[in-house]
CSV table of all heavy atoms in Angstrom, one decimal:
chain,number,residue,atom,x,y,z
A,1,LEU,N,1.1,-136.4,-6.9
A,1,LEU,CA,0.6,-135.4,-6.0
A,1,LEU,C,1.0,-134.0,-6.5
A,1,LEU,O,2.2,-133.8,-6.7
A,1,LEU,CB,1.2,-135.6,-4.6
A,1,LEU,CG,0.7,-134.7,-3.5
A,1,LEU,CD1,-0.9,-134.9,-3.3
A,1,LEU,CD2,1.3,-134.9,-2.2
A,2,THR,N,0.1,-133.1,-6.8
A,2,THR,CA,0.4,-131.8,-7.2
A,2,THR,C,0.1,-130.8,-6.1
A,2,THR,O,-0.9,-130.9,-5.4
A,2,THR,CB,-0.3,-131.3,-8.5
A,2,THR,OG1,-1.7,-130.9,-8.1
A,2,THR,CG2,-0.4,-132.5,-9.5
A,3,ILE,N,1.0,-129.8,-6.0
A,3,ILE,CA,0.9,-128.8,-5.0
A,3,ILE,C,1.0,-127.4,-5.7
A,3,ILE,O,2.1,-127.1,-6.2
A,3,ILE,CB,1.9,-128.8,-3.8
A,3,ILE,CG1,1.9,-130.2,-3.2
A,3,ILE,CG2,1.8,-127.7,-2.8
A,3,ILE,CD1,3.2,-130.5,-2.3
A,4,GLU,N,-0.1,-126.7,-5.8
A,4,GLU,CA,-0.1,-125.5,-6.8
A,4,GLU,C,-0.9,-124.4,-6.2
A,4,GLU,O,-1.7,-124.5,-5.2
A,4,GLU,CB,-0.9,-125.9,-8.1
A,4,GLU,CG,-0.3,-127.0,-8.8
A,4,GLU,CD,-1.1,-127.5,-10.0
A,4,GLU,OE1,-1.0,-126.8,-11.1
A,4,GLU,OE2,-1.8,-128.5,-9.8
A,5,ASP,N,-0.6,-123.2,-6.7
A,5,ASP,CA,-1.3,-122.0,-6.1
A,5,ASP,C,-1.6,-121.0,-7.3
A,5,ASP,O,-0.8,-120.2,-7.7
A,5,ASP,CB,-0.4,-121.3,-5.2
A,5,ASP,CG,-1.0,-120.0,-4.5
A,5,ASP,OD1,-2.2,-119.9,-4.6
A,5,ASP,OD2,-0.2,-119.2,-4.0
A,6,PRO,N,-2.7,-121.2,-8.0
A,6,PRO,CA,-3.8,-122.2,-7.6
A,6,PRO,C,-3.5,-123.5,-8.6
A,6,PRO,O,-2.7,-123.4,-9.4
A,6,PRO,CB,-5.1,-121.5,-8.1
A,6,PRO,CG,-4.6,-120.6,-9.3
A,6,PRO,CD,-3.2,-120.2,-9.0
A,7,VAL,N,-4.4,-124.5,-8.4
A,7,VAL,CA,-4.5,-125.6,-9.3
A,7,VAL,C,-4.9,-125.1,-10.6
A,7,VAL,O,-5.9,-124.3,-10.8
A,7,VAL,CB,-5.5,-126.6,-8.8
A,7,VAL,CG1,-5.7,-127.7,-9.8
A,7,VAL,CG2,-4.9,-127.2,-7.5
A,8,GLU,N,-4.1,-125.5,-11.7
A,8,GLU,CA,-4.5,-125.1,-13.0
A,8,GLU,C,-5.1,-126.2,-13.8
A,8,GLU,O,-6.3,-126.4,-13.7
A,8,GLU,CB,-3.2,-124.6,-13.7
A,8,GLU,CG,-2.6,-123.3,-13.0
A,8,GLU,CD,-1.6,-122.5,-13.7
A,8,GLU,OE1,-1.7,-122.6,-15.0
A,8,GLU,OE2,-0.7,-121.9,-13.2
A,9,PHE,N,-4.3,-127.0,-14.4
A,9,PHE,CA,-4.9,-128.2,-15.2
A,9,PHE,C,-5.3,-129.3,-14.1
A,9,PHE,O,-4.5,-129.6,-13.3
A,9,PHE,CB,-3.8,-128.8,-16.1
A,9,PHE,CG,-3.5,-127.9,-17.3
A,9,PHE,CD1,-2.5,-127.0,-17.3
A,9,PHE,CD2,-4.3,-128.1,-18.4
A,9,PHE,CE1,-2.3,-126.2,-18.3
A,9,PHE,CE2,-4.0,-127.3,-19.6
A,9,PHE,CZ,-3.1,-126.3,-19.6
A,10,VAL,N,-6.4,-129.9,-14.3
A,10,VAL,CA,-6.9,-130.9,-13.5
A,10,VAL,C,-7.0,-132.2,-14.2
A,10,VAL,O,-7.5,-132.4,-15.3
A,10,VAL,CB,-8.4,-130.6,-13.0
A,10,VAL,CG1,-8.9,-131.7,-12.1
A,10,VAL,CG2,-8.3,-129.3,-12.1
A,11,HIS,N,-6.3,-133.3,-13.7
A,11,HIS,CA,-6.1,-134.5,-14.2
A,11,HIS,C,-7.1,-135.5,-13.5
A,11,HIS,O,-7.1,-135.7,-12.3
A,11,HIS,CB,-4.7,-135.0,-14.1
A,11,HIS,CG,-3.7,-134.1,-14.7
A,11,HIS,ND1,-3.2,-134.3,-16.0
A,11,HIS,CD2,-3.1,-133.0,-14.3
A,11,HIS,CE1,-2.4,-133.3,-16.2
A,11,HIS,NE2,-2.3,-132.5,-15.2
A,12,GLN,N,-7.7,-136.4,-14.4
A,12,GLN,CA,-8.5,-137.5,-13.8
A,12,GLN,C,-7.5,-138.7,-13.7
A,12,GLN,O,-6.7,-138.9,-14.7
A,12,GLN,CB,-9.7,-137.8,-14.8
A,12,GLN,CG,-10.7,-136.7,-14.9
A,12,GLN,CD,-11.3,-136.3,-13.5
A,12,GLN,OE1,-11.8,-137.1,-12.8
A,12,GLN,NE2,-11.0,-135.0,-13.1
A,13,SER,N,-7.6,-139.5,-12.8
A,13,SER,CA,-6.8,-140.6,-12.6
A,13,SER,C,-7.0,-141.7,-13.7
A,13,SER,O,-8.2,-142.0,-14.0
A,13,SER,CB,-7.0,-141.3,-11.2
A,13,SER,OG,-6.7,-140.4,-10.2
A,14,HIS,N,-5.9,-142.1,-14.3
A,14,HIS,CA,-6.0,-143.2,-15.3
A,14,HIS,C,-5.2,-144.4,-14.8
A,14,HIS,O,-5.6,-145.0,-13.9
A,14,HIS,CB,-5.5,-142.7,-16.7
A,14,HIS,CG,-6.4,-141.7,-17.3
A,14,HIS,ND1,-7.6,-142.0,-17.8
A,14,HIS,CD2,-6.3,-140.3,-17.4
A,14,HIS,CE1,-8.3,-140.8,-18.2
A,14,HIS,NE2,-7.5,-139.9,-18.0
A,15,GLN,N,-4.0,-144.7,-15.3
A,15,GLN,CA,-3.2,-145.7,-14.8
A,15,GLN,C,-2.6,-145.2,-13.4
A,15,GLN,O,-2.4,-146.0,-12.5
A,15,GLN,CB,-2.0,-146.0,-15.7
A,15,GLN,CG,-2.5,-146.9,-16.9
A,15,GLN,CD,-1.3,-147.7,-17.5
A,15,GLN,OE1,-0.5,-148.2,-16.7
A,15,GLN,NE2,-1.2,-147.8,-18.8
A,16,SER,N,-2.4,-143.9,-13.4
A,16,SER,CA,-1.9,-143.4,-12.1
A,16,SER,C,-3.0,-142.8,-11.2
A,16,SER,O,-4.1,-142.5,-11.7
A,16,SER,CB,-0.9,-142.2,-12.4
A,16,SER,OG,0.3,-142.7,-12.9
A,17,LEU,N,-2.7,-142.7,-9.9
A,17,LEU,CA,-3.7,-141.9,-9.0
A,17,LEU,C,-3.1,-140.5,-8.9
A,17,LEU,O,-2.0,-140.3,-8.5
A,17,LEU,CB,-3.6,-142.7,-7.6
A,17,LEU,CG,-4.3,-141.9,-6.4
A,17,LEU,CD1,-5.8,-141.8,-6.7
A,17,LEU,CD2,-4.0,-142.6,-5.1
A,18,VAL,N,-4.0,-139.6,-9.2
A,18,VAL,CA,-3.7,-138.2,-9.2
A,18,VAL,C,-4.4,-137.5,-8.2
A,18,VAL,O,-5.6,-137.5,-8.1
A,18,VAL,CB,-3.9,-137.6,-10.5
A,18,VAL,CG1,-3.3,-136.1,-10.6
A,18,VAL,CG2,-3.2,-138.3,-11.7
A,19,ARG,N,-3.7,-136.6,-7.3
A,19,ARG,CA,-4.3,-135.8,-6.3
A,19,ARG,C,-3.8,-134.4,-6.4
A,19,ARG,O,-2.6,-134.2,-6.6
A,19,ARG,CB,-4.0,-136.4,-4.8
A,19,ARG,CG,-4.8,-137.7,-4.5
A,19,ARG,CD,-4.9,-137.9,-3.1
A,19,ARG,NE,-5.7,-139.0,-2.7
A,19,ARG,CZ,-5.2,-140.1,-2.4
A,19,ARG,NH1,-4.0,-140.4,-2.4
A,19,ARG,NH2,-6.1,-141.2,-2.0
A,20,HIS,N,-4.8,-133.5,-6.4
A,20,HIS,CA,-4.3,-132.1,-6.4
A,20,HIS,C,-4.6,-131.4,-5.1
A,20,HIS,O,-5.5,-131.6,-4.4
A,20,HIS,CB,-5.2,-131.4,-7.4
A,20,HIS,CG,-5.1,-131.9,-8.8
A,20,HIS,ND1,-4.0,-131.5,-9.7
A,20,HIS,CD2,-5.8,-132.7,-9.6
A,20,HIS,CE1,-4.1,-132.0,-10.8
A,20,HIS,NE2,-5.2,-132.8,-10.8
A,21,ARG,N,-3.6,-130.6,-4.7
A,21,ARG,CA,-3.7,-129.7,-3.5
A,21,ARG,C,-3.5,-128.2,-3.9
A,21,ARG,O,-2.4,-128.0,-4.5
A,21,ARG,CB,-2.7,-130.1,-2.4
A,21,ARG,CG,-2.9,-131.6,-2.0
A,21,ARG,CD,-2.2,-131.8,-0.7
A,21,ARG,NE,-2.8,-131.2,0.5
A,21,ARG,CZ,-2.2,-131.1,1.6
A,21,ARG,NH1,-1.0,-131.5,1.8
A,21,ARG,NH2,-2.9,-130.5,2.6
A,22,GLN,N,-4.4,-127.4,-3.4
A,22,GLN,CA,-4.2,-126.0,-3.8
A,22,GLN,C,-3.8,-125.2,-2.4
A,22,GLN,O,-4.5,-125.3,-1.4
A,22,GLN,CB,-5.6,-125.4,-4.3
A,22,GLN,CG,-5.5,-123.9,-4.5
A,22,GLN,CD,-6.6,-123.4,-5.5
A,22,GLN,OE1,-6.9,-124.0,-6.5
A,22,GLN,NE2,-7.2,-122.4,-5.1
A,23,VAL,N,-2.7,-124.5,-2.6
A,23,VAL,CA,-2.3,-123.7,-1.5
A,23,VAL,C,-3.3,-122.7,-1.1
A,23,VAL,O,-4.0,-122.0,-2.0
A,23,VAL,CB,-1.0,-123.0,-1.8
A,23,VAL,CG1,-0.5,-122.1,-0.6
A,23,VAL,CG2,0.1,-124.0,-2.1
A,24,GLY,N,-3.7,-122.5,0.2
A,24,GLY,CA,-4.7,-121.6,0.7
A,24,GLY,C,-6.0,-122.3,0.9
A,24,GLY,O,-6.9,-121.8,1.6
A,25,GLN,N,-6.3,-123.4,0.1
A,25,GLN,CA,-7.5,-124.0,0.1
A,25,GLN,C,-7.4,-125.4,0.8
A,25,GLN,O,-8.2,-125.8,1.7
A,25,GLN,CB,-8.2,-124.2,-1.2
A,25,GLN,CG,-9.5,-124.8,-1.3
A,25,GLN,CD,-10.2,-124.7,-2.6
A,25,GLN,OE1,-10.1,-123.7,-3.3
A,25,GLN,NE2,-10.8,-125.8,-3.0
A,26,HIS,N,-6.3,-126.1,0.3
A,26,HIS,CA,-6.1,-127.5,0.9
A,26,HIS,C,-4.9,-127.6,1.8
A,26,HIS,O,-4.7,-128.5,2.5
A,26,HIS,CB,-6.0,-128.5,-0.3
A,26,HIS,CG,-7.1,-128.4,-1.2
A,26,HIS,ND1,-6.9,-128.2,-2.6
A,26,HIS,CD2,-8.5,-128.5,-1.1
A,26,HIS,CE1,-8.0,-128.2,-3.3
A,26,HIS,NE2,-9.0,-128.4,-2.4
A,27,THR,N,-4.1,-126.6,1.8
A,27,THR,CA,-2.9,-126.5,2.6
A,27,THR,C,-2.5,-125.0,2.8
A,27,THR,O,-2.9,-124.2,2.0
A,27,THR,CB,-1.8,-127.3,2.0
A,27,THR,OG1,-0.7,-127.2,2.9
A,27,THR,CG2,-1.4,-126.7,0.7
A,28,LYS,N,-1.9,-124.7,3.9
A,28,LYS,CA,-1.6,-123.3,4.1
A,28,LYS,C,-0.5,-122.7,3.4
A,28,LYS,O,-0.5,-121.5,2.9
A,28,LYS,CB,-1.3,-123.0,5.7
A,28,LYS,CG,-2.6,-123.2,6.5
A,28,LYS,CD,-2.2,-122.8,8.0
A,28,LYS,CE,-3.5,-123.0,8.8
A,28,LYS,NZ,-3.2,-122.6,10.2
A,29,GLN,N,0.6,-123.6,3.1
A,29,GLN,CA,1.8,-123.0,2.4
A,29,GLN,C,2.4,-124.2,1.6
A,29,GLN,O,2.3,-125.4,2.0
A,29,GLN,CB,2.7,-122.2,3.2
A,29,GLN,CG,3.1,-123.0,4.5
A,29,GLN,CD,3.9,-122.1,5.5
A,29,GLN,OE1,4.0,-120.9,5.3
A,29,GLN,NE2,4.5,-122.7,6.5
A,30,PHE,N,3.3,-123.8,0.6
A,30,PHE,CA,3.9,-124.7,-0.3
A,30,PHE,C,4.8,-125.7,0.7
A,30,PHE,O,4.8,-126.9,0.6
A,30,PHE,CB,4.8,-124.1,-1.2
A,30,PHE,CG,4.2,-123.8,-2.6
A,30,PHE,CD1,3.8,-122.5,-2.9
A,30,PHE,CD2,4.0,-124.9,-3.4
A,30,PHE,CE1,3.3,-122.3,-4.2
A,30,PHE,CE2,3.3,-124.6,-4.7
A,30,PHE,CZ,3.0,-123.3,-5.0
């Protein structure tokens, strides 16, 4: 799980499940 402001590199899930959250867009604060 990544929490970034903003999201920079975007990863597609391979062996792992990867989810991105951007502060201000998907959550209010870190």
Side-chain angles (χ1 to χ4, degrees):
L1 183 63
T2 81
I3 305 168
E4 302 171 79
D5 182 19
V7 170
E8 296 194 32
F9 289 90
V10 176
H11 302 263
Q12 298 302 301
S13 297
H14 293 288
Q15 285 202 41
S16 291
L17 169 64
V18 186
R19 288 198 174 101
H20 297 278
R21 301 193 72 193
Q22 179 163 311
V23 176
Q25 183 170 317
H26 309 124
T27 182
K28 290 186 176 180
Q29 54 189 6
F30 269 108

